[in-house]
Structure formats: structure tokens, C-alpha cells
Amino acid sequence: MLHARILTYLDEVARFGSIRKAAARLNVASSAINRQILALEAELGAPIFERMPRRLRLTSAGEILIMHVRETLKSSQRVAAQIEALKGLQRGEATIATMNGLAGGPLPRFLAGVMGAHPRMHIRLRVLTLDQIPNAVLTGEADIALGYNFPAGPGLRVVASHDLHLGAVVAPGHPLTRRKPAWLADCLEFPLVLGDASMTIRPVVELAFTRAGIPLHPTIESNSIAFMMRIVREGNAVTFLNPVDIGVDIARGDLVFIPFQDLRVDPITIKLAVRARGTLDAFPSVLLEEMRIAMPGLQRT
């Protein structure tokens, strides 16, 4: 089982309003269920059930807990069904629509793990612009969308999203690494390498400089994150990216990410989405779930 038995015990006791009936339904001793419920109540520091003369009734804390329990059980059943479906697959394919920063950042390591677990499956990775990503999923050209700040209209279902904050990205040993806290005004001493107007990071940077009352005069503009990172590594230039885009380079010690107070106002949101209608085939469904689970850790890749 993917989850502790106590979740099933709680669900059944809540449905029947009786430990005895739940025990009979689950073919478990009543004392075993009661013991686990008492232990959980002691751990939570609050009663889950109100003991009435003829039945048990959920307390306010119990109502909150049972919602979590049932969502967890449903998620467990869904994952188990997806895994069972995958066992019967000899072939399968999925197409991911994404952006160049993600394709060159955390996705290679993630997909290398997927290839190891599912060597007979076929994955297509399409690098698209911001406005092209939702349309690729809506038209069926892609199964899964992963990108920053793309508009999620009624035809898309956002499976997961996480807010990220931009920061300055510099080479190791750069003078900015010794500024704590660091502010945008500190960057004016160095060449600025910025994403151009086609990139989602540009309006966030412009807004931050405007709010700080600082003129923005980039030395170089580019739509290539790989280029921006490379030129920063070569000298004392400063660029602005989010931690997901440079997670691999940070882990290797090639770049340093500096969180700026001025850049914490407007986050960039990374979204994982699929078509709102219809169902995915077995392999895209499993891949989607693995991506959803991996998303919170992408910036630590």
C-alpha cells in the first residue's frame, strides 16, 4: 500500500460512524482501529471523533482531517491505476511543450530518469514560445505543457503551479556575492545582460527597476538563456533569471544566484497543464504525474 492503513480506517469509521462496523467491513479487530485513532488524536492534540451514545461523529478537526484523508486515498488509487496500466504497455509516447530555459535547465536530468524507468517509451520535447505552448496542447500537438506565465484559458487544466522569484545571476567570486542584502542599484556598476522583450522575465525586471526608480540600460539583450549564462560565466556581467533555469549550474558551482529584495514583488509562475477535456493515454498520464511530483524540486536539480 502507498499509504498507511490508518487513512483507510479513518475513512471507514467516518462513513459508518462506528468503529465496530468499520472493523467488520475491513476484517480488522475493533481494538486495532481504536488504538490507532487514539494514537493519532494524541499526536494531533485534538479529538477526531466525538464519542456519542450510539455513534461517532467527526469533530471540526476531524472534518478537516477527513478531507485530506479522502483526497490522499483518491490520489493513491489514481497512481496505482496508472502504474498498473503502464505495466501492460510495451510501447507508448508523449509530447511535452516547453520553453528553452526549462529544456536547457532541469528537464534533461528529469527525463534521463524517465528514460531509465521506461526505456521502451518515446518522448518528444518541443521548445516553443510563450504563446505557442497553450495552443500546442489545445490542438493536440502536445500532451503536456510546462512553462512560465502562459495563459491558462478554459481549454486548459493546470495540474500544478509554483511561484518563483527572479534574482541576479553572476559568476563565482563576483563582487555582488559579497553584498548582503543585495539591491538592484548595486547592479549598475556592472554590465547588464537581459532577456529581450520576447521572454517572460523581461517585464518583471523592467517593472522592478521602474519601481526602484532606477534607469535600465542593458549592455546586451538576448532571447537565449544559454547565451546569457555563458557570458556571465566569462566575466563580471550580471543577468536576471529564476532559480529553476540555473539549478544545474548552481549545483555544479558554475554560477551563483543572488536573491534581490527588489525582485520579490512579482513572481514568475511555472505551470504544468493538460487539455481540460478528454483523458491522456497511459504513458502521458504517468509522465504527467511524475512531472507534478518533481516540480517542487526542480530548482534544486
Side-chain angles (χ1 to χ4, degrees):
M1 292 181 64
L2 295 177
H3 300 281
R5 291 178 182 175
I6 182 61
L7 301 184
T8 303
Y9 293 171
L10 288 170
D11 183 38
E12 294 295 334
V13 172
R15 291 181 190 281
F16 287 105
S18 165
I19 291 177
R20 180 180 58 80
K21 291 179 180 178
R25 167 80 169 80
L26 297 170
N27 194 27
V28 178
S30 297
S31 58
I33 295 179
N34 188 53
R35 187 164 54 249
Q36 292 213 35
I37 291 175
L38 290 174
L40 182 57
E41 288 179 325
E43 182 179 343
L44 294 174
I48 299 169
F49 294 101
E50 182 182 354
R51 273 71 174 177
M52 305 179 70
R54 294 184 177 274
R55 66 188 309 272
L56 298 181
R57 185 172 65 186
L58 286 166
T59 62
S60 297
E63 292 282 359
I64 295 171
L65 179 62
I66 204 66
M67 290 177 61
H68 168 71
V69 164
R70 287 171 178 166
E71 288 174 1
T72 303
L73 288 172
K74 286 179 182 177
S75 178
S76 173
Q77 292 165 0
R78 185 165 57 249
V79 171
Q82 290 170 346
I83 292 173
E84 284 301 315
L86 190 60
K87 287 178 182 178
L89 285 178
Q90 295 300 314
R91 300 286 179 186
E93 59 182 45
T95 301
I96 302 169
T98 192
M99 307 172 80
N100 79 70
L102 291 165
L107 276 178
R109 182 172 295 184
F110 168 77
L111 291 176
V114 173
M115 287 189 295
H118 314 299
R120 299 177 69 84
M121 303 304 161
H122 179 64
I123 298 172
R124 297 186 186 90
L125 188 73
R126 298 193 61 201
V127 176
L128 303 173
T129 59
L130 175 64
D131 58 328
Q132 292 174 327
I133 290 175
N135 191 57
V137 172
L138 292 172
T139 59
E141 296 176 48
D143 301 296
I144 299 168
L146 181 68
Y148 302 118
N149 286 4
F150 60 77
L156 287 181
R157 175 170 62 89
V158 176
V159 177
S161 64
H162 294 276
D163 287 343
L164 304 166
H165 294 280
L166 294 182
V169 177
V170 296
H174 192 284
L176 278 181
T177 60
R178 297 187 289 275
R179 307 271 178 96
K180 294 182 180 180
W183 299 88
L184 287 177
D186 297 329
C187 298
L188 299 183
E189 304 170 32
F190 309 100
L192 296 183
V193 180
L194 299 186
D196 67 17
S198 70
M199 301 184 70
T200 56
I201 55 178
R202 182 58 181 261
V204 177
V205 173
E206 288 181 345
L207 182 58
F209 270 78
T210 299
R211 283 174 172 164
I214 303 170
L216 181 61
H217 299 300
T219 305
I220 297 178
E221 297 178 73
S222 174
N223 66 347
S224 169
I225 289 178
F227 169 80
M228 293 160 66
M229 292 192 299
R230 178 66 183 269
I231 199 167
V232 164
R233 284 198 298 265
E234 296 295 330
N236 67 342
V238 178
T239 191
F240 300 96
L241 295 168
N242 71 66
V244 166
D245 287 334
I246 60 168
V248 173
D249 295 81
I250 292 174
R252 291 173 179 164
D254 294 336
L255 292 172
V256 177
F257 179 84
I258 305 173
F260 273 29
Q261 301 295 326
D262 319 55
L263 287 170
R264 295 196 61 81
V265 180
D266 297 291
I268 286 179
T269 303
I270 183 172
K271 298 178 183 178
L272 179 68
V274 294
R275 284 186 297 279
R277 293 185 177 181
T279 57
L280 294 174
D281 291 338
F283 178 59
S285 180
V286 171
L287 181 61
L288 177 70
E289 181 65 13
E290 292 184 0
M291 291 178 72
R292 183 192 67 78
I293 293 170
M295 271 185 67
L298 284 181
Q299 60 186 313
R300 297 186 297 274
T301 302

